[in-house]
Amino acid sequence: MAGGKIKKEKAKHTSAPYQGGITFHKSKGQHILKNPLLVDTIVQKAGIKSTDVILEIGPGTGNLTKKLLEAGKMVIAVELDSRMVLELQRRFQGTPYSNRLKVIQGDVLKTDLPYFDICVANIPYQISSPLTFKLLFHQPAFRCAIIMFQKEFAMRLVAQPGDKFYCRLSVNTQLYARVSHLLKVGKNNFRPPPKVDSSVVRIEPRKPRPQVNSKEWDGFIRICFIRKNKTLGSIFRLKHVLSLLEKNYKTLQALQSSQNGSLGNTDMGMDISSLGDSKEDQIMEMDDRSDDEMEAEDGDDDGDAEGEVSEFKDKVLGVLKEGQFEEKRASKLSQQEFLYLLSLFNKAGLHFS
């Protein structure tokens, strides 16, 4: 404008500079470990063997990568940011490590992961849940994963029955793996520092894998944790729960009838994945939404079928009574108790997918 100066609005910065010239973007979950003692501790707790192929997710500028290369046979680093890929290549070019580092540029959630023995990762926290289950369903199974998570997410992963953080995520994860908390990590150990503290968790896939249909299991656990502190008797009286179970029951009866009983009697290992989504969708569904969110979804359907005494309702409640689960709560149930209750439902012809 004539006779005046145009004032430029200051942009809101969501990034932080790196002394090497690379800018880190907080919005993309880029928080680089800067504490060398912490890096050493993580590598030590990983228990890496000299023969191990190591998967690193989100290597950033390579601070952890270097220590992993020193400890193992080979490092496969998956990195989405092309700037970080170039930095990794520049950092290790011409060093003894260059032929033992393979960099894959891409989204780890969309990448077909190669064989690896152990996974060590400081990941963007927004992919915590889908990445955890992608790893748990990876074949062949790896020995263990050492992953940096947001502290609250980590507490959910390792929570036990009766704990404050015990939820669907705890139960789903611990079905497929042994999970343990290794160490707490303060926000000042990163550049730029995140808004929350972090924790390092060890995940060891169970071998052999549990013989349970993942779609069926997830549907069952979702219902149990609609309101984790309510009794299972009250949850399985809800109209929409009974409606879902009855629909599945009639569908399976019709299928069994049309196939002349070729499906036979089913148990909790029954493979009815053809009636649901793909394996990839099943993994993505096992999220970590809070119980408050689950209750909000259930809020419009809070009435029960108390006045609609039906044969089907009696069948459902009969299963709870048989296993003495009617007065129990999901927040207090162990893994074995959930598996037992699911087997009782399946034995009665009741399914959740």
Side-chain angles (χ1 to χ4, degrees):
M1 293 176 63
K5 294 181 179 180
I6 299 176
K7 292 184 178 180
K8 294 183 179 179
E9 293 185 3
K10 292 184 178 180
K12 293 182 179 179
H13 293 286
T14 58
S15 58
Y18 166 57
Q19 66 266 29
I22 293 178
T23 300
F24 299 136
H25 299 290
K26 289 185 178 181
S27 60
K28 295 180 180 179
Q30 292 179 340
H31 301 280
I32 309 301
L33 277 173
K34 67 176 185 178
N35 184 341
L37 293 178
L38 178 59
V39 172
D40 288 341
T41 301
I42 291 173
V43 173
Q44 180 185 4
K45 288 185 177 292
I48 300 170
K49 300 176 182 177
S50 59
T51 55
D52 280 343
V53 174
I54 306 162
L55 174 69
E56 185 184 10
I57 300 167
T61 56
N63 293 342
L64 179 57
T65 312
K66 183 175 183 295
K67 295 295 183 179
L68 296 176
L69 284 167
E70 291 174 358
K73 178 182 178 181
M74 181 179 181
V75 172
I76 301 169
V78 182
E79 174 59 61
L80 179 61
D81 193 329
S82 59
R83 301 170 309 145
M84 301 296 180
V85 171
L86 289 174
E87 172 65 15
L88 278 175
Q89 293 171 339
R90 181 200 65 76
R91 181 169 184 172
F92 295 104
Q93 187 176 16
T95 71
Y97 304 123
S98 60
N99 63 344
R100 294 197 287 113
L101 173 64
K102 179 182 179 181
V103 181
I104 299 174
Q105 183 179 347
D107 183 343
V108 68
L109 297 180
K110 299 176 182 178
T111 301
D112 290 330
L113 299 176
Y115 170 87
F116 61 94
D117 298 296
I118 189 170
C119 173
V120 182
N122 171 29
I123 65 172
Y125 293 156
Q126 58 263 38
I127 68 169
S128 295
S129 186
L131 176 61
T132 297
F133 287 99
K134 180 182 178 72
L135 290 175
L136 288 178
F137 280 84
H138 178 75
Q139 290 295 322
F142 50 93
R143 189 167 74 251
C144 73
I146 309 297
I147 305 180
M148 182 90 68
F149 291 114
Q150 181 178 332
K151 182 181 176 182
E152 184 175 323
F153 185 88
M155 292 302 99
R156 290 182 181 184
L157 282 179
V158 303
Q160 297 298 306
D163 291 350
K164 173 185 175 182
F165 289 106
Y166 193 61
C167 60
R168 286 194 308 122
L169 178 67
S170 319
V171 177
N172 280 332
T173 306
Q174 293 171 33
L175 174 68
Y176 297 105
R178 296 179 182 86
V179 190
S180 56
H181 184 273
L182 295 182
L183 68 150
K184 298 177 182 178
V185 181
K187 61 188 75 173
N188 292 328
N189 289 287
F190 300 89
R191 181 191 300 113
K195 294 181 179 179
V196 295
D197 288 333
S198 306
S199 285
V200 178
V201 171
R202 181 184 184 91
I203 300 174
E204 296 181 55
R206 295 188 186 277
K207 298 176 184 178
R209 287 184 58 183
Q211 297 300 305
V212 57
N213 179 277
S214 57
K215 184 71 173 179
E216 177 76 358
W217 170 262
D218 189 47
F220 167 64
I221 294 298
R222 279 176 179 271
I223 288 177
C224 291
F225 276 90
I226 284 175
R227 296 181 176 179
K228 71 177 185 180
N229 290 313
K230 296 287 186 182
T231 65
L232 294 176
S234 64
I235 289 174
F236 281 92
R237 283 184 173 88
L238 291 170
K239 288 180 180 179
H240 81 284
V241 172
L242 287 169
S243 176
L244 172 67
L245 288 175
E246 188 168 16
K247 180 181 178 182
N248 290 347
Y249 181 70
K250 290 180 178 178
T251 299
L252 280 171
Q253 277 196 322
L255 281 173
Q256 290 172 344
S257 177
S258 66
Q259 295 177 17
N260 298 318
S262 61
L263 288 180
N265 294 324
T266 59
D267 57 21
M268 70 178 182
M270 172 185 175
D271 185 5
I272 52 175
S273 56
S274 60
L275 300 179
D277 300 321
S278 67
K279 176 71 74 176
E280 183 175 297
D281 293 331
Q282 293 172 31
I283 297 170
M284 297 296 285
E285 281 185 358
M286 293 182 179
D287 58 33
D288 62 320
R289 290 180 298 167
S290 69
D291 296 296
D292 290 339
E293 291 178 89
M294 296 295 287
E295 288 192 28
E297 291 179 3
D298 185 53
D300 294 332
D301 194 16
D302 197 30
D304 63 30
E306 202 61 56
E308 302 174 11
V309 179
S310 66
E311 184 178 338
F312 185 77
K313 177 186 171 184
D314 291 340
K315 183 181 184 67
V316 172
L317 297 182
V319 172
L320 294 176
K321 291 175 182 176
E322 178 188 349
Q324 299 182 336
F325 284 100
E326 196 171 16
E327 297 302 318
K328 293 185 178 181
R329 293 165 169 78
S331 61
K332 308 287 186 182
L333 290 187
S334 69
Q335 194 77 241
Q336 291 305 313
E337 287 176 307
F338 279 120
L339 285 167
Y340 177 53
L341 179 55
L342 179 57
S343 72
L344 291 179
F345 274 120
N346 287 171
K347 197 176 296 182
L350 300 170
H351 294 272
F352 297 83
S353 60

